[in-house]
Amino acid sequence: METVGDERLRASNSLKQLEEAALMLEDLSKSNESKLLSAGFPSRLSVILNSINSIPSRDDAERLLSAGVSMWNSIISIDEPNLEEETMKALVRVRHVAVDCMYMSTTALGGISARYNIDDLTLLKFYTACGQKYAAEIGDMDCAEVCFAKAKEFASKAVNEAHMLGPEKLDLSRAMFDLLIGRAECCWERGDSETAERYVNDARTYLHDLPGEFEFLATVEYNFGLFAYQEKQTDRALKWLRRSIETRCDQKNQLRNNVKQAKTMRLAGVCLLALRKYEESWNMMKHAEETHHDPIGSYLLLKLSIITKKTNASDLLLEIIEDSESTIDVCVAAVSLFGDAQRVSEAADGYKALYEKFDGDPRTQACVIGPRYFEALAAIGKIDKALMVLETCSSYISRLGEMNEWKTEVPKAIEIDDDNGQDQVSQFLRWSALLLSIGSAQADRKDFKSSALLLTKALSLARTAKDVSARRASSSAQPYPIPENVVLANEARICRLASSCALCSISEKKQSIKMMERNSEELEKDDKLMLELSLEHARRSKELEPDDYSPRLLLFRTHLIAGNYTEAASELENSSTEIRTFDAGALAEAACAARDVGSTTAVIAVLRCVIAMDTSILLKTLDSSINSPPHGFYGTVLLACINLQLRNMSGREGNDSATVESEDCDADIDAVQDLFHTLESGLQGIKQLGVDVAFDKSTIPEETIAYLVNVSWNAGRDAGTKMRYVLWDSFFAVCYEFTMFQQENIDVFQTRRMSKLMSACANIENPKSDTSNYEKARVLLQDARRDSQKMRLLSSADDEDPLGGVLLMLEARCCTGCGDLEGLSKIIETSMHQEVGAGVLEQLAAVCYHFSHGKSHDSQISARCADLTTALLSKASDRRLCEEDKDINALAITMREHLGIELSRGASTARSYNVFRKIAGVVLEYGDQYPVDERRWLVAVGWDRAQMHKQLGKIAEAKRWCELVLKVVADSIQLSTYRPRLDAFMKSVSYDT
């Protein structure tokens, strides 16, 4: 148990440590080495202070008070701006320990110290200041509330001391005001706005003694309103802002700040604007401007006038632009309000005025105002004026780069523009990206000439930026970062668009056949420029993407318009068939041009161009003025192309037959693939156009579709004969799709079913097939089954489907290819319960047998497959025995396979014997009809098993096998030579028994 002496000793040691800590803090304050203050220092002081349960004497209390005062004063000296965060936190917590020391010591001294005048009012101030530090500097609201609560205790004592008059009362009022404001701010941060409002109301009661604090209280109320507005609590924010305005307007406020008052009114006006109280908002903002002018206030009034559609909006904009206090960011934001309100013409006028205001500042014109002015002019269709602004700004940027003026100090007004890069390369890239955006938009608006010019300039500026970057990188000793160039990253696509727009800008009459026959010199000047641009961009696109077909088409059409038919045809030779855009009239001329130069290959290439187009491309040509092709045009071209290809493949002129006989079709594999691509493209075109649009009614579309079905079928059959598995599958897939255009009947469903079966066979038979191919074949077989069901619904006969067994067999092979043993088991179970022929069961047994011998299968899978195989063979033999016209040879083979598998898998003696006995019974029933070779094999097997059992000492089993063998040979002359040996064996086993 601790004695009084021990307690005094511990208190004395603690006091000594606190005094040493105070001295250390005093030294730190003098040396400005606050960073040496460790993060754990305040915690150690708190532990030391809490270890003092009682203060033994007044001298010790004076010592503790002195240590607390010293620490407090040292902290005030050390505390300064720009301290490290950890140091700042430590100082706040040491401040708390210091005031706790003063509180503990003054309590022990009874409130009277011989050295210091520390009373309740002083402690109120100190705890309030400590709480404010916790809240403002380190955001610890819990500790702040602890300090405020302690301060409240001293506040109650101080208020109850009625003798306070004059300066002392004023001092108390200020302390209470600070405490209540601190608690209000703390409650606000903790989300308790109602309590915060109560504390602010309590603080307001002290203003009659503190006329200088009206401004401070108004600022606090403004901050609460601002925070509420930022949290989208508009009604609450407006309430606080109005209170702030009222506080600052109080007659006793001798320090009224009109700048802050106007700022508060503007924010209140913004809240009213958000609440759609437009008239109140206008009056509030107008009052704010009368109180103190600010360009932001003018901007807000302009915004409100645009929203409420006041007639003086344009005048307000000019006032903002002409205001000497308006920075460029305010001016730009003000003009942007008109653009956001879709008043683009007024926005363009505003940018014009702003552009002229900064006439002597080429950097601001080129980097800040120019791009926006250009965009506004383009939006209202003044492209010529926009291009003039572009040229001026481009020259400014180039000149500034040559004069190296980018390295000079950048005005603050330009820095405000976040989108603006301060490097010459960045400006070129910014302009090129803007031109790309506007040029693309102009193309959407069908203003093709403007689009071509803008895109050409975008590419030019992007390439200039690339060249400047390359020069800097080569001349710089330090690594020079190459900025992202979005235009050149998509250069090929942009070149194609620019070429297309240049072509489309040429009037419809100049694309007529009559105009094409004229020399290019006769074209108008603008059209010649557009042709040059089209050639330039198409060639560049072809250079960037030589495998893309679109640039070749653009070059073809440009040559065609210029009358250069040979060049046009050459662009289509030896090209792929991936087409993105073209028009039917130009393709028709291409076919004529290719025919004139005697190039059949080019004719086919042109025709395949049309076929490869889908509906959206065919009907939406490069030039919107060209009408869509007439009905039947697409089908005519498709049939012409197919006939040409079949003729080339067969080598017979004029052969329009749908058949592709194998003996006549030794053409190169590329020709066959080209035929498939033509059929596939034609299929897509017919799907999207519709049969009625694709084919002329005079051609009888039904017969044409049947022709395409036959072409696909025969081509697929030929591919299957030559084991071209991919083409085999592809042709029959196209064949199936073509049948979807035919009227449904039994013949059509039969064609669909057989197409699916043939595609499935191609995937199954392919040696390179993997799991995905077998899964695809499964889906195809499921589709074939559905077509079979539809056929049965249309057919009046109830006969079994002749292809049912084939489907089962193919599905079984799919299961083995996928490694799906469960699926295979279900198929076999189904087959054994259906009226499936013995031949199908035997084929299923073969599938199971081969699956059981897979390299990656474990013993369990092999055993399961063996069970399925024997079950199928047993069922197959039963089915053959039930047939009226029995095929004894086939039956013998099936039974032999069954017994062979039972013996090879090491089946039980009973199972093997039962199968042997079953075969023996059939032999006895049919006698010499049963193949003699099979009977000899059966005798050999029985003899072998009998000997084996005898050697194993299973005499009864050996005798049983031998007896069955004797029955088989008993009445057979061909097998009589075996009888003596069998009789001798029977005697030996009888003797052993």
Side-chain angles (χ1 to χ4, degrees):
M1 182 175 180
E2 189 179 59
T3 64
V4 175
D6 295 335
E7 184 176 347
R8 288 180 176 178
L9 179 61
R10 187 179 69 253
S12 178
N13 290 335
S14 299
L15 285 171
K16 184 178 180 180
Q17 294 180 46
L18 290 171
E19 288 172 332
E20 292 174 352
L23 289 173
M24 186 195 75
L25 288 171
E26 187 175 350
D27 292 339
L28 289 177
S29 68
K30 293 177 181 178
S31 62
N32 293 325
E33 295 292 338
S34 58
K35 62 183 180 180
L36 299 176
L37 194 63
S38 65
F41 181 68
S43 301
R44 291 197 296 273
L45 291 183
S46 296
V47 172
I48 295 170
L49 182 61
N50 292 333
S51 68
I52 302 176
N53 296 326
S54 63
I55 301 177
S57 65
R58 289 187 64 85
D59 289 339
D60 291 334
E62 290 286 358
R63 289 171 60 195
L64 179 60
L65 179 59
S66 179
V69 172
S70 177
M71 283 190 282
W72 184 271
N73 292 334
S74 298
I75 293 300
I76 292 175
S77 299
I78 295 173
D79 198 2
E80 60 183 16
N82 303 323
L83 288 175
E84 294 182 359
E85 183 178 358
E86 292 301 322
T87 302
M88 183 175 62
K89 291 182 179 179
L91 290 177
V92 173
R93 300 192 188 283
V94 172
R95 187 189 293 266
H96 192 177
V97 173
V99 71
D100 281 343
C101 289
M102 288 185 269
Y103 163 61
M104 182 180 292
S105 59
T106 54
T107 301
L109 291 170
I112 300 175
S113 168
R115 297 182 59 188
Y116 302 101
N117 184 20
I118 306 294
D119 57 5
D120 292 335
L121 180 57
T122 304
L123 292 174
L124 162 62
K125 294 179 181 178
F126 284 1
Y127 271 112
T128 299
C130 193
Q132 290 172 335
K133 287 287 185 180
Y134 270 121
E137 295 187 3
I138 63 178
D140 190 342
M141 299 303 161
D142 293 332
C143 289
E145 185 58 34
V146 170
C147 292
F148 288 141
K150 200 71 178 177
K152 183 182 178 182
E153 296 178 11
F154 294 106
S156 301
K157 295 178 182 179
V159 170
N160 291 331
E161 294 179 7
H163 66 277
M164 284 193 176
L165 297 171
E168 292 182 347
K169 183 179 180 182
L170 181 62
D171 206 14
L172 175 61
S173 295
R174 183 172 299 281
M176 290 299 298
F177 180 83
D178 291 341
L179 172 61
L180 291 167
I181 292 299
R183 300 199 79 173
E185 291 175 337
C186 184
C187 289
W188 183 274
E189 290 295 333
R190 300 174 72 164
D192 188 358
S193 57
E194 293 183 359
T195 306
E197 184 175 357
R198 179 164 55 82
Y199 282 134
V200 171
N201 291 335
D202 292 343
R204 188 183 293 276
T205 62
Y206 292 95
L207 288 179
H208 62 279
D209 293 329
L210 305 170
E213 297 298 331
F214 277 94
E215 278 297 317
F216 179 75
L217 181 60
T219 300
V220 170
E221 292 169 332
Y222 169 81
N223 289 335
F224 286 171
L226 176 62
F227 297 151
Y229 175 74
Q230 291 172 344
E231 294 174 358
K232 302 189 183 304
Q233 299 178 10
T234 310
D235 290 320
R236 184 182 294 275
L238 184 60
K239 178 181 177 182
W240 281 107
L241 293 170
R242 280 177 165 162
R243 290 186 59 172
S244 176
I245 294 169
E246 292 172 3
T247 301
R248 195 170 269 118
C249 286
D250 195 291
Q251 295 180 353
K252 295 180 181 180
N253 182 12
Q254 302 171 357
L255 305 173
R256 178 177 176 181
N257 189 323
N258 286 334
V259 175
K260 290 185 177 180
Q261 184 75 332
K263 183 178 180 181
T264 306
M265 289 178 175
R266 289 189 190 95
L267 183 55
V270 171
C271 291
L272 289 166
L273 177 60
L275 295 172
R276 300 181 182 276
K277 297 180 179 181
Y278 299 127
E279 194 63 31
E280 291 183 58
S281 177
W282 176 268
N283 293 334
M284 184 68 75
M285 291 183 184
K286 196 71 175 175
H287 191 189
E289 280 295 287
E290 294 169 356
T291 302
H292 181 269
H293 168 67
D294 189 293
I296 297 296
S298 300
Y299 167 81
L300 292 172
L301 281 171
L302 174 62
K303 181 177 182 179
L304 186 56
S305 67
I306 291 175
I307 292 174
T308 56
K309 299 182 179 180
K310 293 183 180 295
T311 57
N312 63 339
S314 297
D315 296 334
L316 287 174
L317 175 61
L318 290 177
E319 291 177 7
I320 293 173
I321 293 175
E322 294 171 357
D323 189 349
S324 60
E325 297 182 18
S326 296
T327 58
I328 190 169
D329 59 311
V330 173
C331 293
V332 170
V335 181
S336 299
L337 291 173
F338 286 92
D340 297 338
Q342 305 302 315
R343 296 165 67 169
V344 186
S345 180
E346 292 170 275
D349 293 339
Y351 283 125
K352 178 182 178 182
L354 193 58
Y355 190 78
E356 293 172 350
K357 177 181 179 179
F358 287 89
D359 188 35
D361 187 352
R363 175 181 291 188
T364 302
Q365 281 188 323
C367 303
V368 182
I369 308 169
R372 295 172 172 85
Y373 186 24
F374 173 86
E375 192 170 4
L377 288 171
I380 60 176
K382 295 183 177 181
I383 298 297
D384 293 338
K385 178 64 176 176
L387 290 172
M388 291 174 60
V389 173
L390 168 63
E391 291 299 329
T392 303
C393 292
S394 298
S395 64
Y396 284 161
I397 296 171
S398 300
R399 190 177 68 193
L400 290 170
E402 294 169 0
M403 298 170 61
N404 206 22
E405 294 188 13
W406 294 104
K407 295 183 179 179
T408 60
E409 183 179 355
V410 180
K412 183 178 180 181
I414 296 181
E415 289 181 335
I416 295 173
D417 186 6
D418 293 334
D419 293 333
N420 173 48
Q422 297 309 315
D423 179 78
Q424 182 190 24
V425 174
S426 300
Q427 287 303 316
F428 279 132
L429 293 178
R430 181 189 181 198
W431 271 99
S432 65
L434 177 62
L435 289 166
L436 171 60
S437 175
I438 298 177
S440 301
Q442 292 300 110
D444 293 337
R445 298 189 185 103
K446 309 300 181 185
D447 186 356
F448 297 115
K449 178 181 176 181
S450 299
S451 178
L453 294 172
L454 293 170
L455 293 173
T456 300
K457 191 63 179 177
L459 290 164
S460 174
L461 291 178
R463 290 162 185 159
T464 302
K466 180 182 178 181
D467 294 339
V468 174
S469 296
R471 287 198 299 269
R472 290 186 181 181
S474 62
S475 61
S476 176
Q478 301 295 329
Y480 180 77
I482 304 298
E484 182 181 3
N485 195 326
V486 66
V487 174
L488 293 189
N490 300 277
E491 185 178 3
R493 181 179 63 83
I494 297 170
C495 284
R496 289 196 299 270
L497 180 58
S499 178
S500 300
C501 291
L503 285 174
C504 293
S505 67
I506 302 174
S507 60
E508 181 179 1
K509 66 177 181 179
K510 293 180 177 60
Q511 295 196 30
S512 65
I513 296 176
K514 181 178 180 181
M515 194 62 201
M516 290 178 189
E517 293 174 351
R518 299 168 60 183
N519 295 326
S520 60
E521 287 78 11
E522 299 180 31
L523 299 176
E524 296 177 3
K525 182 179 178 181
D526 286 348
D527 292 337
K528 290 174 66 176
L529 173 63
M530 291 296 106
L531 280 174
E532 291 172 1
L533 289 179
S534 180
L535 280 173
E536 174 189 344
H537 293 306
R539 284 170 177 163
R540 178 58 179 164
S541 179
K542 180 181 176 181
E543 178 184 344
L544 292 170
E545 296 181 351
D547 295 333
D548 195 335
Y549 201 79
S550 300
R552 297 176 183 272
L553 291 174
L554 290 168
L555 285 169
F556 155 75
R557 186 160 177 254
T558 306
H559 286 309
L560 200 62
I561 293 174
N564 301 324
Y565 295 110
T566 303
E567 289 85 349
S570 65
E571 289 296 337
L572 297 179
E573 293 178 353
N574 302 319
S575 302
S576 66
T577 57
E578 183 182 352
I579 302 173
R580 298 179 184 172
T581 52
F582 215 73
D583 67 77
L587 282 169
E589 286 297 324
C592 295
R595 183 192 59 194
D596 292 341
V597 298
S599 175
T600 305
T601 303
V603 173
I604 295 175
V606 175
L607 295 177
R608 289 178 64 192
C609 288
V610 181
I611 297 165
M613 286 189 243
D614 58 22
T615 303
S616 62
I617 300 302
L618 191 60
L619 299 181
K620 185 181 178 182
T621 55
L622 288 176
D623 191 336
S624 60
S625 63
I626 296 180
N627 295 326
S628 60
H631 287 198
F633 174 82
Y634 187 85
T636 301
V637 176
L638 173 63
L639 294 175
C641 187
I642 291 174
N643 287 333
L644 275 172
Q645 289 178 294
L646 291 175
R647 187 180 305 156
N648 287 346
M649 290 167 62
S650 64
R652 294 194 301 268
E653 292 293 332
N655 179 18
D656 293 333
S657 173
T659 60
V660 185
E661 300 294 343
S662 59
E663 61 271 14
D664 296 328
C665 190
D666 294 327
D668 186 82
I669 184 66
D670 292 337
V672 181
Q673 290 176 336
D674 287 344
L675 176 61
F676 166 70
H677 291 311
T678 302
L679 289 167
E680 184 182 42
S681 300
L683 172 65
Q684 298 302 320
I686 297 170
K687 277 185 177 181
Q688 294 165 359
L689 287 174
V691 176
D692 293 337
V693 176
F695 298 104
D696 189 356
K697 292 183 179 180
S698 62
T699 61
I700 311 178
E702 294 81 2
E703 294 183 2
T704 304
I705 292 295
Y707 171 83
L708 295 174
V709 169
N710 292 336
V711 170
S712 305
W713 177 277
N714 291 304
R717 186 183 62 183
D718 184 70
T721 303
K722 296 178 180 179
M723 297 304 172
R724 294 170 177 170
Y725 298 102
V726 175
L727 288 172
W728 181 5
D729 176 23
S730 302
F731 275 117
F732 278 108
V734 170
C735 178
Y736 178 87
E737 294 293 334
F738 277 126
T739 64
M740 301 305 291
F741 299 113
Q742 294 181 308
Q743 186 176 358
E744 294 183 345
N745 54 46
I746 292 179
D747 293 334
V748 171
F749 282 125
Q750 175 69 354
T751 305
R752 292 179 186 176
R753 180 173 69 164
M754 292 304 300
S755 297
K756 291 292 184 181
L757 281 175
M758 296 303 290
S759 291
C761 288
N763 284 275
I764 293 171
E765 297 295 340
N766 192 345
K768 297 181 180 179
S769 290
D770 54 16
T771 303
S772 62
N773 295 104
Y774 286 108
E775 291 290 354
K776 177 184 176 181
R778 262 183 167 179
V779 175
L780 292 169
L781 292 173
Q782 291 171 4
D783 293 341
R785 281 195 178 279
R786 282 191 285 270
D787 287 329
S788 296
Q789 293 172 1
K790 294 175 182 179
M791 289 177 63
R792 290 181 63 84
L793 292 175
L794 293 175
S795 176
S796 58
D798 294 330
D799 298 337
E800 287 294 327
D801 184 2
L803 292 179
V806 176
L807 287 170
L808 285 173
M809 189 268 293
L810 293 175
E811 287 171 340
R813 291 192 62 184
C814 289
C815 290
T816 60
C818 298
D820 184 5
L821 181 59
E822 292 301 321
L824 179 62
S825 301
K826 290 180 180 178
I827 291 172
I828 290 173
E829 183 179 354
T830 300
S831 66
M832 294 178 69
H833 288 85
Q834 291 181 354
E835 293 298 326
V836 178
V840 174
L841 295 175
E842 290 161 358
Q843 291 186 54
L844 289 173
V847 171
C848 289
Y849 179 79
H850 290 298
F851 184 54
S852 67
H853 288 71
K855 295 181 180 179
S856 60
H857 296 155
D858 55 28
S859 58
Q860 291 183 348
I861 293 178
S862 297
R864 176 61 177 152
C865 288
D867 288 340
L868 294 174
T869 304
T870 55
L872 285 166
L873 291 173
S874 177
K875 193 71 173 180
S877 60
D878 290 343
R879 292 276 168 88
R880 290 199 178 277
L881 286 170
C882 295
E883 293 173 353
E884 293 184 4
D885 297 328
K886 296 180 178 59
D887 187 344
I888 302 300
N889 289 324
L891 174 62
I893 293 172
T894 301
M895 300 184 81
R896 176 176 180 167
E897 291 292 334
H898 186 187
L899 179 57
I901 291 174
E902 291 288 9
L903 295 173
S904 63
R905 63 183 295 208
S908 65
T909 301
R911 288 184 59 173
S912 301
Y913 179 78
N914 288 335
V915 175
F916 186 84
R917 185 175 59 183
K918 179 180 179 181
I919 300 174
V922 174
V923 172
L924 293 174
E925 181 179 353
Y926 291 97
D928 291 340
Q929 295 181 41
Y930 203 89
V932 65
D933 290 338
E934 294 299 323
R935 283 182 283 163
R936 288 195 179 100
W937 176 83
L938 188 65
V939 170
V941 168
W943 171 252
D944 181 66
R945 304 301 289 185
Q947 285 187 318
M948 180 191 72
H949 287 302
K950 181 180 179 183
Q951 291 172 0
L952 295 174
K954 299 178 180 179
I955 304 302
E957 194 67 26
K959 184 177 181 180
R960 186 167 64 159
W961 279 85
C962 189
E963 287 175 346
L964 267 179
V965 176
L966 282 170
K967 291 181 180 180
V968 170
V969 303
D971 298 324
S972 176
I973 298 175
Q974 295 96 328
L975 305 178
S976 59
T977 55
Y978 300 126
R979 185 60 184 265
R981 184 173 297 178
L982 291 170
D983 289 338
F985 183 82
M986 279 297 294
K987 289 180 181 180
S988 65
V989 295
S990 299
Y991 175 79
D992 291 337
T993 302

